[in-house]
Amino acid sequence: VEDPLLSNDPEFSQQWGLKNTGQSGGIVGMDINVEPAWNYSTGEGIVVAVIDQGIQLDHPDLQENIYYISYDTETNTSPSRIYGDHGTSCAGIIGAVKDNNIGVAGIAPDCKLMSISNTLRSSDLYVSNIAKGINWAWINGADIISNSYHAPMSSYITDAINNAVNNGRNGLGCPVLFASGNDNISSVNYPASLANTIAVGAMSSCGER
């Protein structure tokens, strides 16, 4: 059986987070240990909603995995819009197509990516639009909801997360992931601090927080 980590994607050798071979001065094995996971699943049949600045829907390394519907929380319309490059980057980490001779390989390279766009800029409507995006995701078929940002504490957002966790996937519940924070502090930012979310932190290629 072919090693699932043998990827023809030209940037794969630089993806130490997936396979740390000591490249760029890192420590071998300081990665997410994706190799055994790929032996069980590559995300086929799973829809991951990316609530962020919007995914580039025609990106050559993502297009094959883009879910058929998307949503913009700012205008309450479809398709999603682009408010920055952060959403496309996050989508690539999650679900870039593998073995297509383009770019990188995603962690779940056979999943579908649901784009839900938001400016991620503070405004009077910010928290309500984030909540709207979370609710739209689970109502419209997301299995997992990925959020790489933090927000002001809000009952709107907490309620939307509760809705997704309790009612998503036809009552099975959606896992909801949030970034724990990018400021190198010991506490975990809201909403990642909620008990029913999965808080995701980061480390360097040498295993440092």
Side-chain angles (χ1 to χ4, degrees):
V1 178
E2 183 182 358
D3 185 337
L5 275 178
L6 295 178
S7 170
N8 64 30
D9 300 297
E11 306 299 325
F12 180 78
S13 62
Q14 300 178 36
Q15 291 184 265
W16 64 263
L18 272 63
K19 182 69 171 181
N20 195 332
T21 60
Q23 64 270 59
S24 303
I27 296 176
V28 175
M30 286 294 175
D31 52 43
I32 66 169
N33 202 26
V34 77
E35 187 170 9
W38 275 349
N39 287 319
Y40 289 96
S41 174
T42 53
E44 185 175 0
I46 299 298
V47 178
V48 181
V50 181
I51 302 179
D52 209 283
Q53 293 179 320
I55 301 172
Q56 181 185 332
L57 301 178
D58 61 352
H59 190 287
D61 208 14
L62 303 177
Q63 189 170 13
E64 183 181 327
N65 284 344
I66 296 295
Y67 195 54
Y68 74 99
I69 53 174
S70 62
Y71 175 66
D72 178 51
T73 66
E74 305 293 336
T75 60
N76 198 32
T77 61
S78 295
S80 61
R81 300 187 179 192
I82 297 292
Y83 294 104
D85 58 10
H86 192 254
T88 299
S89 297
C90 292
I93 293 169
I94 297 166
V97 178
K98 183 174 178 285
D99 292 325
N100 62 348
N101 287 296
I102 300 172
V104 299
I107 294 168
D110 293 318
C111 76
K112 293 300 180 183
L113 298 162
M114 175 189 286
S115 176
I116 298 178
S117 52
N118 185 281
T119 63
L120 297 186
R121 292 194 296 266
S122 180
S123 70
D124 291 341
L125 294 175
Y126 177 61
V127 294
S128 62
N129 283 348
I130 289 293
K132 193 191 314 180
I134 294 170
N135 279 319
W136 194 93
W138 72 263
I139 289 171
N140 286 277
D143 297 298
I144 298 170
I145 304 176
S146 178
N147 308 268
S148 294
Y149 58 88
H150 60 85
M153 193 168 293
S154 164
S155 61
Y156 293 108
I157 294 175
T158 299
D159 288 347
I161 293 169
N162 290 339
N163 288 338
V165 170
N166 293 325
N167 303 317
R169 296 191 303 152
N170 296 315
L172 295 175
C174 292
V176 179
L177 292 80
F178 271 93
S180 61
N182 292 329
D183 304 314
N184 196 29
I185 56 178
S186 58
S187 59
V188 176
N189 284 327
Y190 174 90
S193 58
L194 294 174
N196 60 355
T197 66
I198 298 172
V200 181
M203 67 180 185
S204 74
S205 59
C206 296
E208 301 160 322
R209 181 167 68 90

